Amino acid sequence: MSRATVCLTVDFDGVSSWIHSFDEGDSPTNLSRGLFGVDVGAPRLLDLFDEHGVTTTWFVPGHTAESFPEAVESVWAAGHDIQHHGWSHTRPGTYPDAASERADIRRGIEAIEALTGRRPTGYRSPSWDFSEHTLSLLQELGFEWDSSQMGREFRPYRLREGWKASPDAPFERGEETALVEIPVSWQRDDFPAFAFDRRRGFADERAVFDMWLAQFEWMYRNVDGGVYVLTVHPQIMGYSHRLERLESLIETVAEYPDTEFVTLDSVSDRF
Ligand SMILES: [Zn+2]
């Protein structure tokens, strides 16, 4: 096992997040931001990863796969992993019932199977949250791992079912399932920092990249075998100057001895 494992993950929302996840998101200008990610950001990221020999994990909504098949095929052809991110990018907690959530997850599985010829093993929920049904649906549909929750920082762990969060009783943690969680953090996601939507964005870019490096360095010193997950979006990270900062981050991290860049699927396999 390496001293440090780095997983670069790309949430390839295309236009699906604008249609399904944001109020008034499906305006022409917002949709064009998604199209920038498809037409410009994704190819730039693929070039960057190729130059540095880095294998990454792309979470692709079925909507993106079916709307922009050539763009998604380029990701697969370049040797990156493609995993599940919903069909429609609907926040799981907003489905009216388990049946409609199940139907969307199934449709997303079919879209990825059609493109890659194999069933996805991992799930990342749209907007990084679960409904009360999501965990049991993932088990029912044969997923092995998830990457949407935040119960650890640099260690995979097992998700629990049957927990109880009552307002008038102590919290009950429930029982471990077989589903492996490879945790994310809003602190290692480009969207909250940089995606201006009239409420957020415009973080100090240098400070954000410095923070990402500092988090890696802390993990390297303190967590033997730690797993560092960074999430980027082609429509956010695909901008000129940010690509250079990302490249510099990759180069700096790669210089640390015994550090490797791998997919989340292989992290789950080892766990
Ligand atoms: Zn997303």
Side-chain angles (χ1 to χ4, degrees):
M1 194 157 142
S2 303
R3 171 149 191 93
T5 297
V6 178
C7 300
L8 300 184
T9 68
V10 181
D11 289 6
F12 197 5
D13 298 333
V15 296
S16 67
S17 54
W18 294 111
I19 295 172
H20 291 281
S21 299
F22 300 112
D23 295 341
E24 303 172 23
D26 56 346
S27 73
T29 297
N30 279 338
L31 294 174
S32 77
R33 299 167 74 175
L35 292 172
F36 169 85
V38 172
D39 296 334
V40 182
R44 286 179 177 171
L45 284 173
L46 288 175
D47 284 348
L48 175 64
F49 297 149
D50 183 49
E51 272 173 41
H52 292 273
V54 172
T55 304
T56 62
T57 305
W58 292 55
F59 290 95
V60 181
H63 185 274
T64 299
E66 292 178 13
S67 303
F68 313 107
E70 287 176 13
V72 182
E73 277 160 17
S74 316
V75 173
W76 185 243
H80 300 282
D81 196 16
I82 289 183
Q83 297 288 353
H84 200 293
H85 195 40
W87 186 86
S88 65
H89 211 282
T90 299
R91 286 178 61 183
T94 62
Y95 285 107
D97 50 41
S100 45
E101 184 177 357
R102 180 188 292 108
D104 190 85
I105 297 175
R106 278 216 173 111
R107 194 175 174 191
I109 292 172
E110 286 161 15
I112 289 177
E113 279 178 336
L115 201 115
T116 66
R118 66 118 182 78
R119 198 179 171 89
T121 52
Y123 176 77
R124 170 171 284 171
S125 76
S127 303
W128 288 1
D129 216 339
F130 276 19
S131 74
E132 59 184 309
H133 307 295
T134 308
L135 179 54
S136 57
L137 290 172
L138 295 182
Q139 295 178 91
E140 171 192 321
L141 295 170
F143 285 91
E144 296 169 10
W145 55 270
D146 171 72
S147 183
S148 323
Q149 295 208 15
M150 308 178 187
R152 297 284 185 280
E153 192 174 13
F154 300 117
R155 297 263 192 219
Y157 63 102
R158 291 195 189 278
L159 288 177
R160 288 169 174 262
E161 61 187 351
W163 51 268
K164 291 197 181 68
S166 316
D168 58 356
F171 182 74
E172 293 177 37
R173 301 178 71 108
E175 301 298 322
E176 273 189 357
T177 68
L179 213 81
V180 176
E181 176 61 40
I182 308 167
V184 291
S185 167
W186 290 121
Q187 306 298 317
R188 278 187 296 284
D189 179 348
D190 60 355
F191 209 92
F194 300 142
F196 176 66
D197 68 352
R198 297 180 176 78
R199 293 190 304 271
R200 59 184 169 189
F202 286 127
D204 177 339
E205 299 208 351
R206 189 187 304 270
V208 171
F209 281 87
D210 285 351
M211 174 181 75
W212 289 346
L213 180 58
Q215 289 167 339
F216 170 79
E217 290 172 335
W218 188 91
M219 182 190 87
Y220 191 87
R221 288 194 303 273
N222 295 288
V223 186
D224 193 21
V227 178
Y228 177 97
V229 178
L230 180 70
T231 299
V232 303
H233 297 73
Q235 57 186 288
I236 305 298
M237 190 55 68
Y239 279 92
S240 43
H241 59 297
R242 285 187 198 135
L243 285 162
E244 289 188 346
R245 291 194 193 279
L246 180 63
E247 180 167 33
S248 162
L249 179 71
I250 290 171
E251 286 170 349
T252 307
V253 162
E255 282 169 11
Y256 278 77
D258 209 13
T259 294
E260 60 175 351
F261 291 81
V262 302
T263 63
L264 292 180
D265 198 46
S266 59
V267 169
S268 167
D269 279 349
R270 291 174 198 174
F271 185 78

